[in-house]
């Protein structure tokens, strides 16, 4: 589906892009899209992210996604 494709692209950017602004935008978007895959990507990114501002938005994204939804 288009949503799955968007999550894939956003997750790749969140994990690999050098720009903290891009990673921040991806974290916000993944939180809004939601779903298990988005949650998994956000958790993966949180474990490896070094920028404190990006970490804040990753945590906010995770908080937006209901558990089990």
């Amino acid at each position: 589906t288009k949503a799955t494709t968007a999550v894939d692209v956003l997750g790749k950017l969140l994990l690999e892009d050098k720009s903290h602004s891009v990673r921040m935008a991806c974290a916000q978007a993944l939180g809004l899209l939601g779903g298990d895959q988005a949650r998994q990507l956000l958790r993966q990114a949180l474990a490896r992210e070094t920028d404190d501002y990006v970490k804040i938005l990753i945590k906010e994204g995770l908080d937006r996604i209901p558990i089990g939804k």
Side-chain angles (χ1 to χ4, degrees):
T1 66
K2 289 182 182 180
T4 301
T5 302
V7 169
D8 291 336
V9 171
L10 290 166
K12 182 173 175 57
L13 288 170
L14 176 61
L15 294 170
E16 298 177 5
D17 202 277
K18 292 181 176 158
S19 168
H20 72 275
S21 296
V22 170
R23 296 194 311 278
M24 288 174 20
C26 291
Q28 288 178 311
L30 285 169
L32 291 171
L33 288 171
D36 291 336
Q37 184 182 5
R39 184 186 302 105
Q40 187 174 33
L41 288 163
L42 287 165
R43 286 181 180 155
Q44 186 178 353
L46 185 60
R48 59 200 280 190
E49 183 58 58
T50 58
D51 185 291
D52 288 337
Y53 293 109
V54 179
K55 284 182 181 181
I56 290 169
L57 291 176
I58 291 172
K59 289 175 186 175
E60 287 178 1
L62 283 167
D63 288 344
R64 284 181 181 269
I65 302 173
I67 295 174
K69 298 268 177 172

